[in-house]
Amino acid sequence: DSRGPEEALPTLTVTTILEDPYVMVRSAELEGYCIDLLKALAAMLRFRYRVKVVGDGQYGAIAPSGNWTGMIGEVLRREADIAVAPLTVTSAREEVVSFTTPFLQTGIGILLRKETLSQEMSFFHFLAPFSKETWTGLLFAYVLTCFCLFLVARLSPCEWNEPKNEENHFTFLNSLWFGAGALALQGVTPRPKALSVRVVAAVWWLFTIALLAAYIANFTALLSSGSEQLPIQTFEDLVKQRKLEFGTLEGSSTFYFFKNSKNPIHQMIYEYMDKRRDHVLVKTYQEAVQRVMESNYAFIGESISQDLAAARHCNLIRAPEVIGARGFGIATTQASPWTKQLSVAVLKLRESGDLDYLRNKWWESSCLHRSRERWSPLQPQALGGLFLTLAVGLALGVIAAVAELSNKSRRAAGHAKKSCCAVFTEEICSRLHIKKNTRQSQETSGRANA
């Protein structure tokens, strides 16, 4: 017999369940992630196996009679030695069977159809690329810059030589218009002459160019990602809405997770599903995906399976929140000698990278190249360096204006044989229109002394 050496190997009966991509029927043969995992384990531990699909199509739950259904029941009744499937490790199952180290980590997520989530854009949707804090910072930067332009233009002698005889073009309103023109990338008057005013204007132009580039890029990402059109982000959002029905697999660990949870939101989800169990609970995962695609239905289930569905069907999407971290393990009978051997073998496959290879192999999809990262409003921290550059530029402009005025005051003090500080003070008062008030106060004090 050519199979002579293999005849001495033990033969295990393996129960599983048909679910894409774990176990699938292709050309009258079984293939999938769990089949490849089983082959790797058999080669490592040297055993033969016979695969059978679970008779009732269930994963395993306690029936009203007290007996276990599905793959757990077949392992308990010794109809199978092990169960290799996307079988979640739970405390209730661990009490009757033994589980190996999990070969896949997952959680509970929400699978939805994109069309059912679409909503009309807000009237102020154009403000969405920036957060409220960023818009507040931008408004403050705009007002501060315009005030600095107004102040520097009045202080600089190159911009305003004769305050008594000339009119300064950089009034506060003109400064506001100048700043707004820069935001729209439009050239506006008045045009700066002094170096200090040009420094402030140049820094503001740099700031606006970088800001507009960030706005356009983020707005484009917002329109293309469509993440703003996803009102259901969490399980709480799912409970509050009334447009979608939601349910899970009948008798699954997900159903009992919500049943046993003390979280009020989870309790509301369980009560909803329990009252409508005949209508919202589904028998198979394929039925759940089909129902999500064809009706206003949200499926609550394993996030890793939902990721595959969203990759295979490009009109599906998984909500961001994932709860109840859990793992898929291989179920064996209690006190089975295979439990520890299989756990060690799973750990070795993980350390060697074989599990990652299988994950990438069976979760590959044509939709993956179209997936986009979720969009979020641009926060002030992302533009912190830009705001700092603007602040430094404004400070340099003010310093340059003071230096120009000080230089002129020094020359004027030499000709008039006055104190430089006195001339500097007079210049500032005349340029800021406070000299008249000073004279009035001096005249008032003189009359009082008289």
Side-chain angles (χ1 to χ4, degrees):
D1 188 347
S2 60
R3 297 170 57 194
E6 295 184 0
E7 292 295 337
L9 298 180
T11 301
L12 300 181
T13 301
V14 181
T15 181
T16 188
I17 191 170
L18 294 178
E19 182 176 331
D20 186 10
Y22 303 98
V23 179
M24 301 170 290
V25 179
R26 299 284 174 83
S27 303
E29 293 184 358
L30 295 178
E31 65 176 23
Y33 178 94
C34 289
I35 301 300
D36 286 352
L37 174 63
L38 190 57
K39 291 178 181 179
L41 294 174
M44 186 177 296
L45 300 179
R46 295 189 59 76
F47 65 83
R48 299 166 60 193
Y49 57 88
R50 182 177 63 88
V51 180
K52 62 184 292 289
V53 178
V54 61
D56 59 4
Q58 301 292 319
Y59 289 85
I62 302 178
S65 61
N67 298 323
W68 280 83
T69 63
M71 292 177 284
I72 300 296
E74 291 189 353
V75 172
L76 286 175
R77 294 188 297 269
R78 307 284 178 168
E79 297 175 10
D81 298 304
I82 61 175
V84 182
L87 191 60
T88 306
V89 180
T90 65
S91 58
R93 291 171 178 172
E94 189 72 54
E95 290 180 355
V96 294
V97 298
S98 296
F99 279 98
T100 64
T101 300
F103 56 85
L104 267 181
Q105 297 295 332
T106 183
I108 300 176
I110 308 171
L111 185 66
L112 312 128
R113 192 173 82 252
K114 294 179 181 179
E115 289 80 2
T116 61
L117 300 174
S118 60
Q119 61 180 10
E120 293 184 1
M121 291 187 178
S122 169
F123 187 73
F124 295 99
H125 195 65
F126 68 94
L127 299 177
F130 289 163
S131 65
K132 294 180 180 178
E133 295 80 6
T134 304
W135 283 115
T136 303
L138 173 58
L139 179 61
F140 177 77
Y142 168 69
V143 175
L144 179 61
T145 302
C146 294
F147 177 76
C148 285
L149 275 172
F150 165 74
L151 179 63
V152 170
R154 286 188 171 273
L155 293 179
S156 175
C158 299
E159 194 70 44
W160 196 21
N161 291 321
E162 296 294 336
K164 297 179 181 179
N165 303 323
E166 295 181 9
E167 180 182 354
N168 192 296
H169 297 290
F170 274 95
T171 62
F172 188 66
L173 290 179
N174 285 346
S175 299
L176 290 175
W177 180 245
F178 183 90
L183 279 174
L185 298 181
Q186 300 295 319
V188 295
T189 55
R191 300 187 182 278
K193 302 175 183 178
L195 175 63
S196 55
V197 183
R198 290 179 177 180
V199 168
V200 175
V203 172
W204 178 244
W205 290 336
L206 175 64
F207 177 84
T208 55
I209 290 174
L211 191 73
L212 287 173
Y215 177 86
I216 294 172
N218 220 33
F219 193 62
T220 304
L222 165 63
L223 296 178
S224 59
S225 66
S227 61
E228 275 293 292
Q229 302 177 15
L230 186 62
I232 298 178
Q233 301 278 340
T234 64
F235 284 87
E236 184 176 0
D237 296 335
L238 183 65
V239 172
K240 291 180 178 179
Q241 59 83 37
R242 293 293 180 267
K243 183 179 180 180
L244 299 179
E245 296 180 323
F246 53 88
T248 186
L249 291 175
E250 184 178 3
S252 65
S253 60
T254 301
F255 180 81
Y256 289 100
F257 169 85
F258 289 101
K259 180 180 180 180
N260 300 325
S261 176
K262 304 300 181 183
N263 188 304
I265 300 298
H266 299 171
Q267 281 294 309
M268 293 173 65
I269 293 176
Y270 168 72
E271 292 173 1
Y272 175 90
M273 295 190 298
D274 188 51
K275 291 179 181 178
R276 302 167 177 81
R277 60 168 54 238
D278 295 335
H279 185 59
V280 299
L281 297 184
V282 294
K283 301 294 184 182
T284 64
Y285 177 77
Q286 290 78 9
E287 178 187 350
V289 173
Q290 194 68 23
R291 187 167 176 180
V292 172
M293 296 178 62
E294 296 178 352
S295 63
N296 292 338
Y297 181 78
F299 174 62
I300 302 175
E302 302 293 346
S303 60
I304 192 170
S305 300
Q306 294 175 347
D307 289 338
L308 176 69
R312 297 283 175 84
H313 307 282
C314 300
N315 62 332
L316 300 182
I317 188 172
R318 179 176 63 80
E321 186 181 32
V322 176
I323 61 175
R326 54 183 62 191
F328 292 154
I330 300 174
T332 66
T333 57
Q334 289 185 334
S336 171
W338 289 102
T339 306
K340 184 175 181 180
Q341 298 181 51
L342 290 170
S343 292
V344 174
V346 168
L347 289 174
K348 289 182 178 179
L349 291 175
R350 179 180 299 169
E351 293 169 355
S352 64
D354 290 342
L355 292 184
D356 292 333
Y357 168 76
L358 293 180
R359 172 72 166 77
N360 296 331
K361 173 184 176 182
W362 291 103
W363 266 254
E364 184 180 3
S365 171
S366 59
C367 283
L368 289 178
H369 73 278
R370 283 188 277 177
S371 63
R372 295 182 175 93
E373 296 182 357
R374 288 186 172 87
W375 171 90
S376 60
L378 200 61
Q379 299 296 326
Q381 295 82 354
L383 301 174
L386 192 59
F387 279 95
L388 178 61
T389 303
L390 177 63
V392 172
L394 296 181
L396 290 176
V398 173
I399 293 173
V402 173
E404 291 172 353
L405 185 59
S406 299
N407 188 32
K408 180 183 178 182
S409 300
R410 190 179 301 109
R411 293 195 303 267
H415 290 97
K417 297 182 180 181
K418 293 182 179 181
S419 169
C420 182
C421 293
V423 174
F424 183 77
T425 303
E426 291 177 1
E427 289 285 347
I428 290 181
C429 291
S430 63
R431 293 170 188 278
L432 299 181
H433 298 294
I434 60 177
K435 186 174 182 180
K436 183 177 180 181
N437 297 334
T438 305
R439 288 179 177 175
Q440 290 177 352
S441 62
Q442 290 176 353
E443 291 176 0
T444 302
S445 60
R447 294 172 183 174
N449 293 333

